[in-house]
Amino acid sequence: TQLLEQSPQFLSIQEGENLTVYCNSSSVFSSLQWYRQEPGEGPVLLVTVVTGGEVKKLKRLTFQFGDARKDSSLHITAAQPGDTGLYLCAGELVYGNKLVFGAGTILRVKS
Amino acid sequence: NAGVTQTPKFQVLKTGQSMTLQCAQDMNHNSMYWYRQDPGMGLRLIYYSASEGTTDKGEVPNGYNVSRLNKREFSLRLESAAPSQTSVYFCASQPGTENYGYTFGSGTRLTVV
């Protein structure tokens, strides 16, 4: 059982559509991080959210941290083919200075 | 702008062989990590080093050993490789500050036959 449940596992959408990826846990995290990974490369940090209820925007991407710091979401508006990739959420445990990852969401945006 | 460098990029081992995966970072980070990535399972922590001179087990340490050689380098050793260790291995580093993102290397794809 994964500490962080990420959904959906796969998403195939048309260019211009909106989508949301969810990351849920029963544990409290000191921060929640989102990464994007392309084939043959390591994950690259997109954003870190720290405060319960925090919302951060990165162009067409909106990240939200749940009020109780147990869950997070990533919303992409008007998806583009360049958004295609593996999206990973990762929670930093309150004690221990280490990240636990969700299983990831494979996003494919078709033109 | 090297960041985190991992070697080798690809490796094929026979069951029972040993090898060391190398990782070096040039960002003066205190903390370093080894993860493995398997389909549908995300990244799982093998070992980590919160600071130079310390190492600790992660979620899946069995079959692995690590050495924090100095502040820059953190190596992962497989003493007797098994097919279950076929995976993609990622090294990452972080300044050692809470809530700071990780910088990952580009990975080592290991196949054990």
Side-chain angles (χ1 to χ4, degrees):
Chain A
T1 306
Q2 298 237 210
L3 191 59
L4 268 172
E5 295 294 332
Q6 191 171 340
S7 62
Q9 287 188 321
F10 305 98
L11 206 48
S12 182
I13 61 173
Q14 291 293 133
E15 181 177 2
E17 292 184 359
N18 302 331
L19 66 112
T20 302
V21 178
Y22 299 93
C23 193
N24 296 293
S25 178
S26 57
S27 298
V28 176
F29 297 100
S30 61
S31 73
L32 207 298
Q33 302 176 13
W34 286 91
Y35 291 80
R36 180 166 171 261
Q37 184 179 17
E38 300 202 29
E41 298 295 328
V44 176
L45 180 70
L46 294 174
V47 78
T48 300
V49 284
V50 177
T51 306
E54 182 177 2
V55 176
K56 279 192 175 179
K57 293 192 174 184
L58 189 66
K59 297 184 181 178
R60 295 175 292 99
L61 278 61
T62 301
F63 305 85
Q64 185 162 8
F65 202 11
D67 291 341
R69 302 193 349 254
K70 294 182 179 181
D71 55 86
S72 181
S73 63
L74 157 61
H75 183 79
I76 300 180
T77 304
Q80 299 177 0
D83 295 328
T84 292
L86 173 66
Y87 289 81
L88 295 157
C89 66
E92 183 163 17
L93 297 170
V94 175
Y95 301 105
N97 189 28
K98 50 189 177 182
L99 283 183
V100 291
F101 282 80
T105 295
I106 298 173
L107 171 65
R108 180 185 173 202
V109 182
K110 296 174 285 186
S111 57
Chain B
N1 60 346
V4 177
T5 302
Q6 290 184 239
T7 56
K9 288 190 179 300
F10 302 94
Q11 184 71 48
V12 178
L13 288 179
K14 293 183 179 179
T15 298
Q17 285 185 319
S18 62
M19 78 161 297
T20 300
L21 280 63
Q22 306 288 352
C23 175
Q25 52 92 6
D26 61 1
M27 297 170 286
N28 200 37
H29 284 173
N30 288 312
S31 302
M32 297 185 73
Y33 307 82
W34 277 105
Y35 284 88
R36 60 179 288 174
Q37 185 173 35
D38 302 292
M41 303 190 73
L43 282 86
R44 292 181 293 168
L45 183 64
I46 305 171
Y47 270 95
Y48 67 103
S49 172
S51 60
E52 186 179 357
T54 69
T55 60
D56 284 289
K57 295 179 180 179
E59 180 185 357
V60 288
N62 291 344
Y64 305 95
N65 284 301
V66 291
S67 296
R68 183 76 183 264
L69 304 170
N70 47 56
K71 192 170 185 178
R72 290 186 64 247
E73 299 172 288
F74 189 37
S75 62
L76 178 71
R77 183 158 178 85
L78 287 70
E79 290 292 350
S80 179
S84 61
Q85 294 178 305
T86 294
S87 188
V88 182
Y89 291 85
F90 287 99
C91 177
S93 71
Q94 196 247 18
T97 306
E98 191 179 51
N99 303 331
Y100 206 92
Y102 287 22
T103 301
F104 283 85
S106 58
T108 295
R109 184 174 293 275
L110 175 67
T111 301
V112 183
V113 298

